[in-house]
């Protein structure tokens, strides 16, 4: 690039900056969208915030995850039927720490009711939940720390009403966390804040599961905690169910964890009703529930209880179970789903997992049917398997995926989603074997 082109480019950049002025309109319009909202309200809030912050060097901060990935969050915090606005920003002329401003509309005019300094350089997520059942949602903001990618600080804010009727926010607690969830774990019919914190500050890492509720004085109080498997690098999901034991019932938590980039396992904790404390339900879950696929625990058989996927042996030619595509290696695996009560594992359902096209297929034919991938048709073929001779027999059915419905259609439609279409074909040999459309459709699970 010659010197004239460089100078021209610099002048264009300067002109754009000068034309933008100091208004927040310089920032991405998309960061101001927060569905569902009333028409025009985002614009009102933006204009008011521009005016209120005109003397500051404001940079909007958009949450990185969660349901509210916008710098402006509209929510009825004080339950008066009118949305308030939370705005995440930093004043770059002073510091890089994120702030949260509460804007309230009073007599058709937006005003700042609170301006709170956050606990990090960014916002990971924001959510709302009513922990004490008083009809007012607490605000939970996870602040991203300056030098840590997985550990965050979750701060909890409570709506506060003064004697003169003014409305603001009060910080009622902050905790380190890697993952959080809301559920009633101790059976008091109120949601708890459940936190997984991976403490790597000591020589030996610890993973801690903590449970919080709100006290009558509106403070965040930890009512219990328990150490879980120490080999967790991050948590993908926390799910829960309720198990009945005689005339009592207790909650179980399933913590789906990454052991490393390729391996996942599930730890389980249940609430001991008699002793009012959490108890670990598995010993060495990083061994007994490990799998090389990021499949989360779920109620696979729709019986109301969550099962854990565990890798098991798929009969067939193991050379056919892996596929290299654009330097990525995809391994087709067989998972057995176990219902865990203590350390008693009960095989429930088996599913074949296709990581390339992201689906599970209930698979009750292991040892009689095996698989191989047809890279020409880009289809997974299911064939008879002769265990004695270690050889493939007749093709019975196949499943293929297409990103566009009309792009090289393949047989009959098995499943449609926004990303694409899954097709199936049943051969004459497959029909004789007993494979039917109903079996395939009822066995298919998109993940």
């Amino acid at each position: 690039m010659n010197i004239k082109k460089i100078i021209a480019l610099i002048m264009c950049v300067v002109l754009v900056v000068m034309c933008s002025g100091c208004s927040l309109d310089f920032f991405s319009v998309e960061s101001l969208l927060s569905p569902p909202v009333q028409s025009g309200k985002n614009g009102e809030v933006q204009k008011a915030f521009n005016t209120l912050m005109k003397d500051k060097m404001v940079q909007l901060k958009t949450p990185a995850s969660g349901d509210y990935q916008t710098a402006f969050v509209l929510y009825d915090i004080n339950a008066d039927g009118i949305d308030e606005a939370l705005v995440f920003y930093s004043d770059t002329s002073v510091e890089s720490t994120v702030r949260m401003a509460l804007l309230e509309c009073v007599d058709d005019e937006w005003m700042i009711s609170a301006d709170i300094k956050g606990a990090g350089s960014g916002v990971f997520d924001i959510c709302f939940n009513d922990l004490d059942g008083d009809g007012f949602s607490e605000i939970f903001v996870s602040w991203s720390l300056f030098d840590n990618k997985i550990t965050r600080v979750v701060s909890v804010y409570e709506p506060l009403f003064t004697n003169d009727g003014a409305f603001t926010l009060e910080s009622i607690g902050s905790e380190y966390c890697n993952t959080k969830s809301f559920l009633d774990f101790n059976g008091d019919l109120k949601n708890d804040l459940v936190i997984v914190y991976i403490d790597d500050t000591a020589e030996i890492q610890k993973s801690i599961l903590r449970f919080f509720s709100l006290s009558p004085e509106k403070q965040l109080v930890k009512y219990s905690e328990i150490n879980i498997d120490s080999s967790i690098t991050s948590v993908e999901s926390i799910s829960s169910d309720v198990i009945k034991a005689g005339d009592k019932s207790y909650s179980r938590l399933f913590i789906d964890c990454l052991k490393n980039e390729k391996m996942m396992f599930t730890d389980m904790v249940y609430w001991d009703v008699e002793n009012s404390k959490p108890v670990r339900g598995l010993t060495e879950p990083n061994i007994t529930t490990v799998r090389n696929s990021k499949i989360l625990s779920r109620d696979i058989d729709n019986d109301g209880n969550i099962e854990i996927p565990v890798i098991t042996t798929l009969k067939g030619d193991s050379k056919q179970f892996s596929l290299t595509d654009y330097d990525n290696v995809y391994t087709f695996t067989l998972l057995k789903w176990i219902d865990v009560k203590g350390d008693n594992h009960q095989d429930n359902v088996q599913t074949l997992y296709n990581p390339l096209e992201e689906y599970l297929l209930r698979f009750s034919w292991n040892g009689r049917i095996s698989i191989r991938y047809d890279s020409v048709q880009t289809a997974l073929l299911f064939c008879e398997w002769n265990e004695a001779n270690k050889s493939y027999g007749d093709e019975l059915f196949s499943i293929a995926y297409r990103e566009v419905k009309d792009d090289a259609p393949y047989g009959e439609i098995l499943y449609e989603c926004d990303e694409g279409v899954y097709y199936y074909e049943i051969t004459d040999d497959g029909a004789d074997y007993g494979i039917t459309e109903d079996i395939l459709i009822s066995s298919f699970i998109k993940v």
Side-chain angles (χ1 to χ4, degrees):
M1 183 180 290
N2 61 37
I3 189 65
K4 290 184 178 180
K5 290 183 178 179
I6 294 175
I7 294 173
L9 179 61
I10 293 173
M11 292 300 295
C12 288
V13 172
V14 171
L15 181 61
V16 169
V17 173
M18 291 177 61
C19 291
S20 67
C22 296
S23 169
L24 288 179
D25 291 331
F26 179 80
F27 298 92
S28 170
V29 174
E30 285 79 9
S31 69
L32 303 178
L33 301 179
S34 177
V37 295
Q38 297 178 9
S39 176
K41 182 168 287 191
N42 277 316
E44 295 174 15
V45 177
Q46 180 188 3
K47 183 178 179 181
F49 192 70
N50 282 344
T51 302
L52 293 166
M53 296 289 177
K54 62 183 179 180
D55 297 327
K56 297 182 178 182
M57 294 291 292
V58 168
Q59 181 178 359
L60 295 180
K61 296 289 185 175
T62 301
S65 184
D67 294 333
Y68 300 92
Q69 294 184 34
T70 166
F72 282 50
V73 176
L74 296 175
Y75 193 90
D76 183 9
I77 299 170
N78 59 359
D80 64 353
I82 302 174
D83 283 344
E84 287 73 45
L86 295 173
V87 185
F88 296 99
Y89 76 99
S90 62
D91 183 352
T92 57
S93 65
V94 179
E95 58 185 354
S96 57
T97 302
V98 182
R99 302 188 69 88
M100 178 176 70
L102 167 65
L103 273 67
E104 186 181 11
C105 190
V106 179
D107 296 329
D108 295 326
E109 183 175 344
W110 288 95
M111 57 177 288
I112 295 179
S113 299
D115 191 5
I116 299 170
K117 183 178 180 179
S121 59
V123 185
F124 182 74
D125 66 19
I126 174 175
C127 53
F128 304 87
N129 204 283
D130 183 4
L131 291 192
D132 55 359
D134 66 350
F136 299 98
S137 293
E138 285 73 46
I139 303 168
F140 300 82
V141 182
S142 296
W143 306 102
S144 300
L145 300 181
F146 293 87
D147 56 354
N148 197 310
K149 293 183 179 180
I150 65 170
T151 301
R152 294 170 276 274
V153 171
V154 56
S155 298
V156 187
Y157 303 94
E158 175 80 12
L160 179 65
F161 302 90
T162 60
N163 293 332
D164 60 359
F167 164 53
T168 184
L169 297 177
E170 179 183 24
S171 175
I172 60 174
S174 292
E175 295 289 335
Y176 285 109
C177 86
N178 299 90
T179 304
K180 66 180 183 300
S181 185
F182 302 97
L183 50 92
D184 177 16
F185 186 60
N186 59 4
D188 65 354
L189 303 181
K190 295 178 182 178
N191 273 349
D192 307 313
L193 171 63
V194 181
I195 283 177
V196 175
Y197 172 50
I198 301 172
D199 184 1
D200 57 359
T201 58
E203 185 174 344
I204 300 177
Q205 176 179 292
K206 292 194 302 181
S207 303
I208 309 167
L209 184 63
R210 291 172 172 161
F211 304 91
F212 297 85
S213 61
L214 285 193
S215 70
E217 295 76 28
K218 300 286 188 181
Q219 292 298 307
L220 190 69
V221 176
K222 181 181 71 177
Y223 71 80
S224 193
E225 75 174 30
I226 187 173
N227 287 348
I228 54 178
D229 197 284
S230 61
S231 60
I232 297 172
T233 58
S234 65
V235 175
E236 292 289 293
S237 173
I238 300 176
S239 54
S240 67
D241 66 7
V242 176
I243 293 293
K244 291 186 178 181
D247 59 347
K248 296 181 179 179
S249 61
Y250 58 92
S251 299
R252 301 188 301 180
L253 292 187
F254 296 82
I255 305 104
D256 291 314
C257 318
L258 289 182
K259 188 174 183 177
N260 53 48
E261 290 184 358
K262 297 182 179 180
M263 306 297 286
M264 172 175 276
F265 68 94
T266 302
D267 208 341
M268 191 270 276
V269 174
Y270 66 90
W271 181 252
D272 184 339
V273 178
E274 293 183 357
N275 297 299
S276 298
K277 66 177 184 179
V279 177
R280 292 189 68 187
L282 291 167
T283 57
E284 298 186 306
N286 64 340
I287 297 175
T288 58
T289 69
V290 71
R291 59 250 188 207
N292 61 349
S293 52
K294 295 182 180 180
I295 298 297
L296 305 180
S297 302
R298 63 166 65 194
D299 180 8
I300 194 71
D301 56 359
N302 298 314
D303 67 348
N305 297 332
I306 292 175
E307 289 82 31
I308 300 174
V310 178
I311 195 167
T312 189
T313 302
L314 176 63
K315 298 290 186 178
D317 182 357
S318 59
K319 296 177 183 178
Q320 302 287 340
F321 299 164
S322 295
L323 172 70
T324 301
D325 183 58
Y326 299 106
D327 296 326
N328 294 317
V329 178
Y330 299 93
T331 302
F332 305 98
T333 56
L334 188 65
L335 300 171
K336 64 178 181 180
W337 295 75
I338 56 175
D339 188 4
V340 183
K341 297 178 176 64
D343 275 327
N344 297 319
H345 297 184
Q346 297 177 357
D347 292 2
N348 201 331
V349 176
Q350 291 189 348
T351 59
L352 182 76
Y353 174 50
N354 182 336
L356 176 64
E357 291 154 353
E358 298 183 327
Y359 66 83
L360 298 169
L361 188 76
R362 294 175 189 267
F363 197 78
S364 59
W365 311 288
N366 193 27
R368 295 178 289 124
I369 296 178
S370 191
I371 62 167
R372 57 189 179 88
Y373 196 82
D374 184 341
S375 57
V376 176
Q377 293 288 337
T378 59
L380 189 61
L381 309 182
F382 295 77
C383 307
E384 286 192 272
W385 173 252
N386 188 317
E387 180 64 17
N389 298 328
K390 306 295 183 184
S391 62
Y392 287 97
D394 294 328
E395 179 187 333
L396 304 178
F397 66 95
S398 56
I399 297 177
Y401 170 75
R402 301 288 184 267
E403 290 186 355
V404 180
K405 187 173 182 179
D406 296 328
D407 181 19
Y410 185 99
E412 303 296 327
I413 293 177
L414 177 63
Y415 181 86
E416 291 187 72
C417 59
D418 292 338
E419 292 78 18
V421 183
Y422 294 85
Y423 295 89
Y424 73 92
E425 275 191 348
I426 301 173
T427 67
D428 291 340
D429 291 318
D432 293 340
Y433 196 89
I435 307 300
T436 66
E437 176 186 44
D438 289 342
I439 287 176
L440 295 185
I441 291 177
S442 62
S443 298
F444 184 89
I445 303 170
K446 180 73 174 73
V447 294

